[in-house]
Amino acid sequence: AALYQVKSKGKGAYYLLDVKEGVALPGKSYLDSEENKEDEIAHKEAQFESAEDLVLFCMDLLENVPNLTSALKVICERTCSFFGIDDMICMEVNEAGPTIRYQWNREEKKDFARRILNPGVFEWDRIRKKADESGAVIYRQSETPDVYKEEAESVMIVMSTAAKGLKASVIFSNRHTDRSWQEEKNALCRISHQIFNRLRTLKNAEKDQRELNRKLNYDALTGLPIYNKFVDKLEAYMAAHGKSGLFFVSSDFSNFQYVNEMYGYEVGDRILHDFAIALQEKCQNGVLFCRVTSDHFVGVLKEDTVEKARDKYLEFTNTFVQKTNSRYDQCNLVIATGMYEILENDWSVSSMMDNANEARKQCKTQKVDSAVEIYTEKIRKNLENTREIVSGMVAAYNNKEFRAYLQPKVSLHTGKVVGAEALVRWIRADGSMVMPGRFIDVFERNGFVTKVDFAILDQVLEYLQDALAQREEVVPISVNFSRRHNEYTDFVPNILKRLKDYKVPSELLEVEVTESVFMSDLNKLTNNLETLRDKGVEISVDDFGSGYSSLNLLSKVAVDTVKLDKQFLDDTMNSEREETALTIIKYLTKMLKHLGFKVLAEGVETKEQLDMLRLADCDIVQGYFYAKPMPIDDFRKFLQEFNERDNA
Ligand code: C2E
Ligand code: MG
Ligand code: MG
């Protein structure tokens, strides 16, 4: 407050703030600044020569003192002492009813104000009707209502006009002597109306401030708080009510782009707006909501159990979606939601949102049905794993911790090792091994997989170069390449350049792509694979039959070998499915071979499987039955020894 004061007086000044009962008093030091020639107000405060002086003093204070309460304190004191008045009460009627802004009492009997402000006693509109043209209503002993009679001999109330929505009054009273108020009425009314003016300005400023706050903190389209405001509100809510029974939800509209395309942005906006309204009005267990981005909403529910929270929220989203879809019958909206139970030691709202988002990704039929998925221990472990993997990956790459292991492929025609597959192993500095199942998916998502694949390719080519130089026997090695390589134009040139650099014939390299690659950008993939194949690199399709198979695609893409997914063999181990699985393998192999592909079976673990594959006329097998993936040096020995034996 002192700083505020002194700043308004210009540079090089100081200000001594006098504080009493927590209220800053404009006392002697008021306007104490080197720039002020004369301390006018402090001067006048001692004695006012006339009522006019008092009125001017009050006007000056009201204009210049930023804190209204401080100003009122001095005004009430000076006015009452100048006119010998016992009480001066400034009050305002707002939504909460009559409220005291400031009161000054000569005697410590403040319940006077409380009593007259009782609802039913102080009816502002009724009293206002009695006021004369200057706004004054006078109650003298004979005509005073009971409450006033008990407390005071004579009361004058100055009423504001109701202009700009302000309903305010200043009440003056004399406790023990009667008074006509005629002499002082003019001055008291002028002071009161100055106070009303100040209150009006304040009210407008507050309204402007509220409006500004609303604009800054609330989303214009939906009226929901923006994310930062939501975080503040949620933190305040949790501080006040605790965290138990709170569930964080993150909801996303699927197919929303079709709404905009079909019906235009106006309808899209209306749906988002309606959803926000529904969240606030129809979602029974809702506490707080926020629109994070276009069609992504988050919020907090309060409920006894996770199941109840999920069921109710799902019903709510289903109802909304049904209503909207029947109104706009082309749009087929779906809302996918992730739900996270807030725990006692959670403090970061953004990680609550991350967790709910992670759960949302588990909604299986995101594009077909609305669903609510709950954040589980499994998701948490997954996330933890992802964080650990991501935080260590770059250093691991630089330390060359991603090592190529080789698993032999054996021909069923010759019984010899005719190839090997390179499989990545993350060997940590402490010697521990991380299997690709823990990190390849993560790297697929963040794109790092492309670096790892080339690191594996380099190790394979380095080995082949060396083995060729030593005139060792070599076989083609297959390297797994992620679908993400197709995003880069230099994918194929990069492979060809390396073959050249290491002087390894392209016939010794095989490129494995997983079947799901066919789902992504087919044209680019076809071109890439065709170029490689023209240069002599063999192509194989991995995990065939694991999911997205389309025989039709095989006829479009240049492929040499089809690797049957391990699942086919696993099914032959299951007595119920054995018969079917055997039949499928037999006929699938037959057909693929008829189409001109070599057929390889992955994951061969037993002699029975091997015999069965022989019967099915499969060409090549790979699996633990022969060998597990092993370090390159081990494979070099394995290859020589195995192929020297007579395995036929
Ligand atoms: P994949 O390419 O289908 O590789 C075959 C997986 O089956 C390998 O698992 C291999 O160790 C395993 N396997 C081989 N024979 C048997 C068997 O008889 N029984 C059983 N139970 N498993 C067998 P791995 O090495 O854990 O690799 C898993 C997957 O990770 C690979 O499946 C491949 O999709 C991916 N991956 C591995 N290395 C790389 C790589 O360098 N780059 C890329 N992009 N992906 C890789
Ligand atoms: Mg593979
Ligand atoms: Mg495979």
Side-chain angles (χ1 to χ4, degrees), residues 173-421:
S173 89
N174 255 36
R175 301 270 177 119
H176 310 291
T177 47
D178 190 21
R179 189 171 191 136
S180 74
W181 302 98
Q182 291 314 313
E183 261 167 57
E184 52 278 7
K185 189 173 126 184
N186 178 276
L188 293 181
C189 284
R190 280 170 70 200
I191 292 170
S192 300
H193 285 290
Q194 285 303 319
I195 295 174
F196 301 147
N197 277 342
R198 177 68 195 267
L199 280 174
R200 248 177 225 119
T201 330
L202 200 70
K203 224 177 151 96
N204 284 340
E206 279 168 2
K207 212 175 114 213
D208 288 351
Q209 190 61 43
R210 276 200 303 274
E211 183 68 13
L212 187 66
N213 273 345
R214 211 182 51 72
K215 282 203 175 119
L216 288 175
N217 291 321
Y218 293 84
D219 170 27
L221 176 63
T222 62
L224 290 174
I226 59 158
Y227 181 67
N228 285 341
K229 182 72 185 170
F230 167 78
V231 172
D232 287 350
K233 285 184 157 219
L234 179 54
E235 283 171 351
Y237 183 89
M238 293 188 302
H241 300 93
K243 296 173 188 164
S244 79
L246 292 187
F247 299 91
F248 197 103
V249 283
S250 165
S251 291
D252 198 60
F253 282 88
S254 310
N255 311 331
F256 203 78
Q257 71 275 26
Y258 302 130
V259 177
N260 286 333
E261 278 167 24
M262 297 276 201
Y263 295 97
Y265 280 90
E266 210 173 298
V267 169
D269 281 357
R270 194 178 317 142
I271 292 173
L272 295 175
H273 171 264
D274 290 351
F275 184 65
I277 300 294
L279 277 173
Q280 294 169 97
E281 289 175 0
K282 303 264 162 59
C283 182
Q284 301 155 3
N285 47 6
V287 172
L288 260 181
F289 293 98
C290 152
R291 184 168 75 121
V292 187
T293 54
S294 56
D295 57 356
H296 178 203
F297 292 79
V298 295
V300 172
L301 313 176
K302 182 148 182 71
E303 196 51 77
D304 309 334
T305 65
V306 191
E307 291 77 20
K308 258 196 201 166
R310 179 195 52 204
D311 294 350
K312 275 197 193 165
Y313 193 75
L314 183 60
E315 196 188 317
F316 162 76
T317 52
N318 273 333
T319 310
F320 180 83
V321 160
Q322 271 160 23
K323 232 168 93 190
T324 311
N325 286 348
S326 67
R327 186 156 168 212
Y328 306 102
D329 57 352
Q330 312 270 347
C331 69
N332 184 32
L333 277 183
V334 168
I335 299 178
T337 302
M339 179 176 285
Y340 170 72
E341 179 171 5
I342 299 176
L343 303 176
E344 214 40 60
N345 53 0
D346 282 334
W347 52 271
S348 148
V349 174
S350 75
S351 51
M352 295 173 196
M353 180 160 86
D354 288 343
N355 291 343
N357 285 344
E358 215 50 47
R360 194 186 62 220
K361 288 183 198 150
Q362 310 292 313
C363 293
K364 292 192 186 56
T365 51
Q366 280 207 18
K367 302 265 167 197
V368 188
D369 275 319
S370 293
V372 178
E373 286 293 332
I374 298 165
Y375 183 85
T376 57
E377 185 61 12
K378 198 174 139 207
I379 302 177
R380 189 188 65 74
K381 286 217 172 103
N382 244 330
L383 267 184
E384 214 168 69
N385 177 58
T386 303
R387 290 198 188 110
E388 189 192 325
I389 296 291
V390 170
S391 69
M393 67 184 190
V394 174
Y397 179 84
N398 292 335
N399 292 340
K400 305 202 184 319
E401 290 177 14
F402 296 108
R403 308 301 305 166
Y405 272 45
L406 297 179
Q407 186 178 33
K409 300 174 184 171
V410 177
S411 160
L412 287 182
H413 308 305
T414 64
K416 302 280 180 202
V417 172
V418 290
E421 175 176 12

Side-chain angles (χ1 to χ4, degrees), residues 407 421-425 435-436 440 449 453 456 480-482 512 514 542-543 566 602-605 622-624 629:
Q407 186 178 33
E421 175 176 12
L423 293 156
V424 63
R425 299 290 180 263
M435 298 298 281
I440 286 292
V449 70
D453 287 348
I456 297 300
N480 293 283
F481 281 94
S482 155
E512 283 192 23
T514 50
D542 210 350
D543 306 334
K566 195 174 157 304
E602 282 187 302
V604 182
E605 290 181 359
Q622 175 185 346
Y624 295 171

Side-chain angles (χ1 to χ4, degrees), residues 486 491 511-534 537-542 544 548 550-562 592 595-597:
N486 291 301
F491 170 43
V511 166
E512 283 192 23
V513 289
T514 50
E515 196 192 25
S516 60
V517 171
F518 296 122
M519 300 296 286
S520 70
D521 211 340
L522 192 64
N523 274 339
K524 239 189 246 163
L525 175 79
T526 317
N527 288 340
N528 281 341
L529 295 185
E530 236 139 56
T531 318
L532 283 171
R533 208 156 169 256
D534 285 346
V537 176
E538 289 217 351
I539 308 293
S540 55
V541 174
D542 210 350
F544 186 81
Y548 312 89
S550 166
L551 289 166
N552 184 32
L553 280 172
L554 274 185
S555 67
K556 291 194 178 124
V557 183
V559 162
D560 302 282
T561 306
V562 174
L592 288 170
L595 289 170
F597 302 112

Side-chain angles (χ1 to χ4, degrees), residues 450-519:
T450 55
K451 286 190 91 124
V452 174
D453 287 348
F454 274 106
I456 297 300
L457 176 66
D458 281 341
Q459 291 167 44
V460 166
L461 293 178
E462 201 180 313
Y463 149 59
L464 287 173
Q465 182 186 38
D466 189 56
L468 286 170
Q470 311 283 336
R471 300 183 182 280
E472 275 173 34
E473 180 189 358
V474 287
V475 288
I477 312 282
S478 63
V479 176
N480 293 283
F481 281 94
S482 155
R483 62 199 292 175
R484 304 245 7 203
H485 290 284
N486 291 301
E487 294 164 20
Y488 301 91
T489 48
D490 58 355
F491 170 43
V492 171
N494 240 330
I495 293 181
L496 297 176
K497 178 174 183 300
R498 282 172 151 84
L499 281 169
K500 219 165 137 197
D501 288 350
Y502 285 99
K503 302 190 183 67
V504 171
S506 49
E507 289 70 29
L508 286 179
L509 178 67
E510 191 174 320
V511 166
E512 283 192 23
V513 289
T514 50
E515 196 192 25
S516 60
V517 171
F518 296 122
M519 300 296 286

